[in-house]
Amino acid sequence: MHRQMKTAMKASYRIIVFLLFLAPLYGRAADARSYYEEGKALREKGEQVAAMRAFIRATHCETDNESLLGRVYSNMANMCRQANDHETAFEVYALSTAHFAKSYDSLTYAYALNNMAWEQAAMGHKPQALALVDSAVSCYPYYPLTEKVIETKAAACFFTQEYDSVLYYTATSHGSDYLLMLRAQAFSFLQIDDSASVYAKQLLPRTTNPFYLDDLYYILTHNDAAADKETLLRLSSERADVQKHIKERHGQLTLAVNLLQQELNPEEPTRPVWFILLIVCGLALLGWLIFVAWQQHQLRTEKAKFEQTRIKELNDNRQLLLESEDIRQELEWNDFDALCQEINKRFHGLAATLQAQDLNEQDIRICILVLIGLSHKEIAEMLNCSPKSIGKLKDLTARKLGVSGGQLQTKLEKITLL
């Protein structure tokens, strides 16, 4: 008991020393590029808030790589755009532009200016958007920027409801998905449904952007001759599938943008008035850390004992069945309900857990035999089929549980020990 308290106090002392002295040094020494790569990876996984934290950490690192910082701010601004917070997106794109200007890369600088222009267009500020577009073109008047410039000009006209101008700009495009979508929408708002349907049908088989689905569905359903019922049913089903995902993603993006806004507009820190209050708070924190460390130690000890007991029980049951002269008789194999009851009793509700994961009767039988530890040949004899079939059935069952065939036994053991 005395030794455990002493260990907890040492751990608490190290934490306090790290927070007071080492943490600021660690933050300054961190690699901005690693945070940037971490943020990109988290964005791809859909973890928007964690990605924003990684990008913010990258901006706190000391680095001379202006191009890297420009890309960091560009990613953060893109997340604001996806959350429909165009004011914050414009502000962060401006920071990105400032860093790209110092990197002496005319293409990335021009792209950053064009991104600022698009945000101004989304806010309905067409003159400011066109002025920024002109600045971008003067920096880099070549392809591929010219295509993006056309998109921004068309968007500026679309957001100000100048649909004839939208048609003018989109007519000169090379047919990017975004320009096709704008053209279809412009024809739709001008109530030229046949032309809107033509471009909507061109875009439908080639786009993977879920945000276009609502507009495409609206356009095609307002023209009875535009699409067959099968296409409309498929489109309606796809819309229903992505709506929930988009809503969750937008919620995460909103939280991420709120985190960024707190970083851009930090509140004034409140300073302690009395030195004695700081001492009392420090002692209270130390006592709390010691208590937490002790509690965690107790929980880990109890958890370890419980896991050891469950593992021993699992191995004992498995060994008893392996040594049984007739496993069928032991488990009442021909009666599936009786089999499930016996497995639930021996392996802590395993059969019920597998049934809740939509595994069928054959899948559950395969899982039971794999967990017991029988070979493919032994399983084939139990189920009256060939060992090759068992390999395929095992792989299919494992896939339903999200693992490979070789990992199925480990997965079942983890389920049993939960």
Side-chain angles (χ1 to χ4, degrees), residues 320-328 330:
L320 284 173
L321 291 173
L322 283 172
E323 294 173 357
S324 174
E325 295 181 359
D326 191 349
I327 296 179
R328 291 184 180 277
E330 182 78 17

Side-chain angles (χ1 to χ4, degrees), residues 176-194:
S176 70
D177 289 356
Y178 183 65
L179 288 171
L180 274 178
M181 190 71 253
L182 286 181
R183 191 167 181 81
Q185 287 177 309
F187 275 122
S188 178
F189 281 112
L190 291 172
Q191 298 183 351
I192 308 175
D193 293 335
D194 290 340

Side-chain angles (χ1 to χ4, degrees), residues 364-377:
I364 293 174
R365 291 178 184 273
I366 289 287
C367 288
I368 294 169
L369 294 172
V370 169
L371 177 64
I372 292 171
L374 298 184
S375 66
H376 282 197
K377 182 178 179 181

Side-chain angles (χ1 to χ4, degrees), residues 397-418:
T397 303
R399 200 176 304 153
K400 293 180 182 180
L401 293 174
V403 295
S404 64
Q407 299 171 327
L408 180 58
Q409 185 173 14
T410 304
K411 177 69 175 181
L412 293 170
E413 290 175 355
K414 288 181 179 179
I415 294 174
T416 305
L417 295 174
L418 289 176

Side-chain angles (χ1 to χ4, degrees), residues 112 286 295 300 393:
L286 179 61
Q295 288 289 97
R300 284 196 297 268
L393 291 172

